[in-house]
Amino acid sequence: MLRFLTAGESHGKGLIGIIEGMPSGLTISKEFINHELKRRQQGYGRGGRMKIESDEVEFLSGIRWGKTLGSPITLFIKNRDWQNWEKAMNDDPAFDASIPPVTKPRPGHADLPGIIKYNHSDIRNVLERSSARETAMRVAIGALAKQFLKEFNIQIGSFVIKIGSAGLDVSTFKLNEKDLIKFSKMADSSSVRCPFSDIEKEMIKVIDKAMKTGDSVGGGFLVFATNVPIGLGSYVHWDRKLDGIIAGAMMSIQAIKAVEIGDGVKLGNEFGSKLMDEIFYKKKFFRKTNHMGGIEGGMSNGMPIIVKATMKPIPTLRKPLKSVDIFTKETVEATYERSDICAVPSASIIGESVLAWCIAQAFLEKFGGDSIAEIRASYDFYQNTLK
Amino acid sequence: MLRFLTAGESHGKGLIGIIEGMPSGLTISKEFINHELKRRQQGYGRGGRMKIESDEVEFLSGIRWGKTLGSPITLFIKNRDWQNWEKAMNDDPAFDASIPPVTKPRPGHADLPGIIKYNHSDIRNVLERSSARETAMRVAIGALAKQFLKEFNIQIGSFVIKIGSAGLDVSTFKLNEKDLIKFSKMADSSSVRCPFSDIEKEMIKVIDKAMKTGDSVGGGFLVFATNVPIGLGSYVHWDRKLDGIIAGAMMSIQAIKAVEIGDGVKLGNEFGSKLMDEIFYKKKFFRKTNHMGGIEGGMSNGMPIIVKATMKPIPTLRKPLKSVDIFTKETVEATYERSDICAVPSASIIGESVLAWCIAQAFLEKFGGDSIAEIRASYDFYQNTLK
Amino acid sequence: MLRFLTAGESHGKGLIGIIEGMPSGLTISKEFINHELKRRQQGYGRGGRMKIESDEVEFLSGIRWGKTLGSPITLFIKNRDWQNWEKAMNDDPAFDASIPPVTKPRPGHADLPGIIKYNHSDIRNVLERSSARETAMRVAIGALAKQFLKEFNIQIGSFVIKIGSAGLDVSTFKLNEKDLIKFSKMADSSSVRCPFSDIEKEMIKVIDKAMKTGDSVGGGFLVFATNVPIGLGSYVHWDRKLDGIIAGAMMSIQAIKAVEIGDGVKLGNEFGSKLMDEIFYKKKFFRKTNHMGGIEGGMSNGMPIIVKATMKPIPTLRKPLKSVDIFTKETVEATYERSDICAVPSASIIGESVLAWCIAQAFLEKFGGDSIAEIRASYDFYQNTLK
Amino acid sequence: MLRFLTAGESHGKGLIGIIEGMPSGLTISKEFINHELKRRQQGYGRGGRMKIESDEVEFLSGIRWGKTLGSPITLFIKNRDWQNWEKAMNDDPAFDASIPPVTKPRPGHADLPGIIKYNHSDIRNVLERSSARETAMRVAIGALAKQFLKEFNIQIGSFVIKIGSAGLDVSTFKLNEKDLIKFSKMADSSSVRCPFSDIEKEMIKVIDKAMKTGDSVGGGFLVFATNVPIGLGSYVHWDRKLDGIIAGAMMSIQAIKAVEIGDGVKLGNEFGSKLMDEIFYKKKFFRKTNHMGGIEGGMSNGMPIIVKATMKPIPTLRKPLKSVDIFTKETVEATYERSDICAVPSASIIGESVLAWCIAQAFLEKFGGDSIAEIRASYDFYQNTLK
């Protein structure tokens, strides 16, 4: 059972993640993880903070001489700005109340429900953890999962399909394995992670407009996994369904408000006869279409797994939003902290990480095993039975 | 910790559910559960089976003299058609191979990945459990959750917003508590669970068309929960976020391919300044809009929780779909078993059940307690601190 | 992930168990389960109820034509005495208060803490579920686990080593695989499950004495598993240690108050040099001794797994115990319901079931797989790497 | 739901723990945690390493200005000896094979099953994590739990009752709350944590003897919790029983081989009438005896919770043990690394930590709540209903 916990405040000492259940003997590249962290930090429309940070991971446990030991792996991403926050975020009671509290909750954030739930009187006690800064650790953890999946030739990628009014309908595309990988690679060289240059231009225009007006803007992205073996997940119990597991994890990313598998929302518009991915056989079973996004009956069906997610605009705006001071109860403008205008390209990378984790977890559940050698034997046996 | 397991094959002896963690002292009405089961069985476009069955629940444990004991509750829904399936579905090895296997997998179903995963050579061994028949038990369990929530004046409801090409955009509606409850009640008297009579007519036309052409059709529905206390779920760890939990559970419903919270996919189209639910105060904090669907930072924010789900068309069609025989590997027409043409109204009730469960679980996590009396005390204390 | 829930009141309609995660293709014998249920019901010193009941299991789901489907398995054990309890235990509110409440809590039982925790005013609401009747279902579930383990030649057995003052110190025995299996078989023909006839006689005398004086008596038993592959469990995280998992499950059996692995308590008395199971090699690694009971570092080490458990005397005595009426608060004699005098032989069978479950769970965690064929392949690969 | 993960190799950079689910507003003293770490490091018979280290905890997240935030708390205990191990334990593949592997498995340790399970060819890859060094983090985490419990006046303590042949039978003692706390305090000033000076002397003699002969010795300790509210744990499902939960956690401590609740093994020797803790009432329910160790029916019953654990002798001996080289398969002497002779006093502190965690978890499950204020309200309500 693969599991993890993350910890860390946005302006604390750093972010920490412990991953338990990763098999032994897996080669881990720190460079790859740092590369993934960098991919998350890029994108047109990011705020100032992205420039301060250049996230780098440190291993505190579980890895020796470049390989996993089978014991829990600890990742640490230091906050490079900690010296500026030592007073505000110190664990020592000597600093109690040394900094005035944040009292103007921002609509769209955890601020107001957070202080009520946890009985806090300083919104900083909430926003430090609810911040999307946490996703840096999820990307690092996802990078471990990707390295595991790569052993079995499973690839994860993504691209952005909508930013505000600029976007494209991918359900008309034939998204086969080759195209998906190509689009994701092309996205890597686009400042908005969009592989289609005309749409890319429009997207940049939308962001520019938001920037000018002190506004923010959301959008959507597509993440995929290729070469996933048939039968990950299960139909036998609701909480083992792969689509449910993916949807739950994807929706847990900060600011995500919709998750679609395959054609998603479009599947509600048409008659069934047009949408079913008929079954063919030529040495192995195959499909010519993939409306279902690679999942049938809660299991991977051998086609690429395709997931789309919608991100709401970042709720921290330069343009003032109405709020209420938690002490005075007077109408105020919500706190503004330096923030991004558009984070969809970044969310797309986070989406990859989350998908990688879900697939790795389902993979290990099916194939068991404590070392890469043992897992490979189970995997090979199963793949051979398909022939 | 509220948890459950369900069991039962579609044509087996019946469906079974054990619910563990329900507090003691909760009054349970069997009539209410049966009423919910009936709501699930209705809807224009349902196939023949719905007429055979009129599901009724039996309590096998956990309830005495109309109240929960705190011990695990067992629900049983008998299969009224069992005598016709005794041979095909018997547990006794004497019946081995007494019935020819199902060998033509239906695209869009668990059939093909299912037999591969579980190493079966009879598709019946898969389809009996992957069938949406299982959702009858989830509705019964959801009905228990609803009775728990009613103790705290939390109401759950739903209505259908799309069937194929017929539908409406609810993001333009002001979906306040009063309206939601009204629409859900109106939906109860519509054969397609649509409260808007003009759209209702169009929906029926779409189903009629599918019926005539041997096709099937999907759609979408909206489920909601009102009066949910602020602060269910949490931002502190990804797997505790209420939106993630709801999305995961909702996507696990058979045939659901998209889940949206609040305005969902639409939130990716607009600038942030138009979408944030600003904060006001008049004796208590309130909002005038609810684009976020009642969830901010992974927590309920006091506004109605609004979730939309998209259902793909039922993949069993009278109109033949191409498939491959699992033994001969020859191209064949997929098996056709009597099936529904449209099950969106039914899915809408299942969605209610799933939402009720998620809210009840998050509620109990926040308020703890083993008896209704104890939970009420915690709840009252918390609600009082909000004043 | 293998998991189960049980349900059912002692005098309710019956006991129910749902097991989720059992692989497909496992041959299940109902006769074997019933045989195990019978083993649990025997033993010198059992009360009257054991004569009424002759427990038999019914499959409600998950098994077709003698084999598991991979879907959840439901077991049902009917209460043959239900007609006498229909009023007292009915789920219908019409029967509310038709029977006077039980108000005199029995020391040593769940009675008093149970009514306080769950806010009950009738002790029957507690004792019906806290009763050891529940263990019948755990034995049935354990019988499934045993059938799974038999596929891999893992055997589970037990014998009684102490009843009150009569007992023997097994730490001086050489408990190799052959002896263990022999002793367990001999125990099957002893009315107190003791394979040593001189001790057996003493044990019977102790029970007779308790019977005469209206008293009860406890004791201890030894359960074992042979041929367990090396490396079940893990040292990497505390909650994955096999000894911890076994101890937790064993202590959860009603009336168990001590659990020992291998020489257990005796290991605290001697110097280390006498107790370590030194390592030898002859075609494979082996040990000449087994002080550690087959577990080192939280993992199976290839030697038989040996667990001892101590059962307190049944706390329901004919001889009166002092208690307090929950309403009047007056000193009273605790309620006496017909009960066993000694249940150690029965507990020994329950212990087998619990151990079988723990080993099966750890086995599936290590080897993964959804069908017996797939698990066998993983198992064979791993065993081959040991050569 | 309170949960944690720990990580870290014995000679790695340090030990890490993330605790998720701790409520907000709890005052945390770093000094107290360090004090607990020191208590774990003491004891007559500890090896050289204890002198190098003087463990100190650092907070990396979850605590601000001396109070918990409700977000995950990260604890870090630096390895002060890291500079000597940087090559041997580096994560960088550049160091691959820079140090010869450990190839002689130590009987009684995880060494042999560990390398087989995880497919390792260097025993160091196992022993670094299986080492009892990990328990330092469990003590730190337990110290957090203790601070939580102190808010509700629950106290945890321990003392040593056996070291090899020197020991005492505590079942004859009247172990009431006052005595338990007194004995634990006295134990704090004993080098073997034994409050009884005559026994203490014998214990020291036993350790001296082991030291002289290059041997090691185990023993036993008693841990307790006082003022635990009635009704933690539950009888309704096996995995919620407090005794099972405690036994599982206690047995997971390195080298623990037996766990007893209350009189434990002794409860199997006597007739029931002598052992039941009869119920009395004087303003509240009370007992005059505590044979059951404060747990009946899987729940706390208001009496002190008393748990005894047996620790086997440390299996690393100066006196050589027979083993087999994993490569050559030749008979060799097991590796000897500097080690303790007796660690029972230390285990006693670890036992306290583990018990504190289990009680805190069960407490939070019963009372729910996200902040100390909220939990206190639930707790007070429940305690008031007892009157």
Side-chain angles (χ1 to χ4, degrees), chain D residues 195-223:
Chain D
F196 314 105
S197 60
D198 44 342
I199 310 282
E200 184 189 29
K201 273 173 213 147
E202 283 179 52
M203 287 176 171
I204 289 170
K205 265 189 214 158
V206 170
I207 296 172
D208 284 340
K209 193 174 167 194
M211 212 175 298
K212 236 181 287 173
T213 55
D215 216 321
S216 68
V217 66
F221 58 85
L222 180 153
V223 287

Side-chain angles (χ1 to χ4, degrees), chain D residues 2 18 79 98 116 125 140 162 181 184 237 242-243 246 248 269 290 308 311 316 319 325 367 369 384:
Chain D
L2 198 55
I18 298 181
N79 173 12
S98 62
I116 290 170
N125 289 344
K162 179 163 67 179
I181 291 171
S184 180
H237 202 258
L242 189 60
D243 39 7
I246 290 170
N269 300 348
N290 188 17
K308 290 181 291 185
M311 185 184 208
T316 304
K319 191 187 276 193
D325 186 281
F367 296 111
N384 284 333

Side-chain angles (χ1 to χ4, degrees), chain D residues 242-375:
Chain D
L242 189 60
D243 39 7
I245 291 164
I246 290 170
M250 208 59 80
M251 194 69 98
S252 83
I253 300 172
Q254 285 81 341
I256 298 302
K257 300 294 280 188
V259 181
E260 303 171 79
I261 307 288
D263 288 356
V265 167
K266 299 255 162 181
L267 289 167
N269 300 348
E270 293 268 13
F271 289 109
S273 54
K274 298 210 176 150
L275 299 170
M276 294 304 133
D277 303 315
E278 293 183 306
I279 300 171
F280 301 92
Y281 189 87
K282 203 171 184 176
K283 282 186 187 165
K284 59 174 192 171
F285 294 103
F286 71 98
R287 319 290 177 106
K288 294 177 178 168
T289 55
N290 188 17
H291 300 288
M292 296 303 136
I295 300 184
E296 284 171 324
M299 291 170 290
S300 53
N301 70 0
M303 292 297 283
I305 288 179
I306 294 179
V307 183
K308 290 181 291 185
T310 299
M311 185 184 208
K312 70 179 183 190
I314 301 264
T316 304
L317 306 178
R318 224 171 59 231
K319 191 187 276 193
L321 284 175
K322 273 190 194 141
S323 184
V324 172
D325 186 281
I326 58 171
F327 290 124
T328 66
K329 304 294 190 295
E330 277 165 16
T331 297
V332 294
E333 287 180 5
T335 303
Y336 174 73
E337 294 211 11
R338 187 184 47 188
S339 180
D340 299 335
I341 282 145
C342 175
V344 181
S346 177
S348 162
I349 303 302
I350 302 163
E352 288 185 17
S353 304
V354 160
L355 183 62
W357 177 263
C358 293
I359 303 288
Q361 206 173 33
F363 191 99
L364 277 169
E365 189 194 309
K366 171 141 194 61
F367 296 111
D370 295 302
S371 66
I372 289 293
E374 196 179 357
I375 298 164

Side-chain angles (χ1 to χ4, degrees), chain D residues 59-100:
Chain D
F59 299 135
L60 298 182
S61 76
I63 293 171
R64 186 182 180 215
W65 300 348
K67 279 186 198 288
T68 57
L69 291 170
S71 53
I73 298 166
T74 307
L75 306 180
F76 184 58
I77 300 172
K78 211 178 165 166
N79 173 12
R80 296 179 175 249
D81 200 24
W82 169 239
Q83 69 278 16
N84 294 322
W85 288 90
E86 264 199 293
K87 238 173 132 177
M89 293 304 297
N90 209 292
D91 62 72
D92 196 320
F95 293 88
D96 192 354
S98 62
I99 308 277

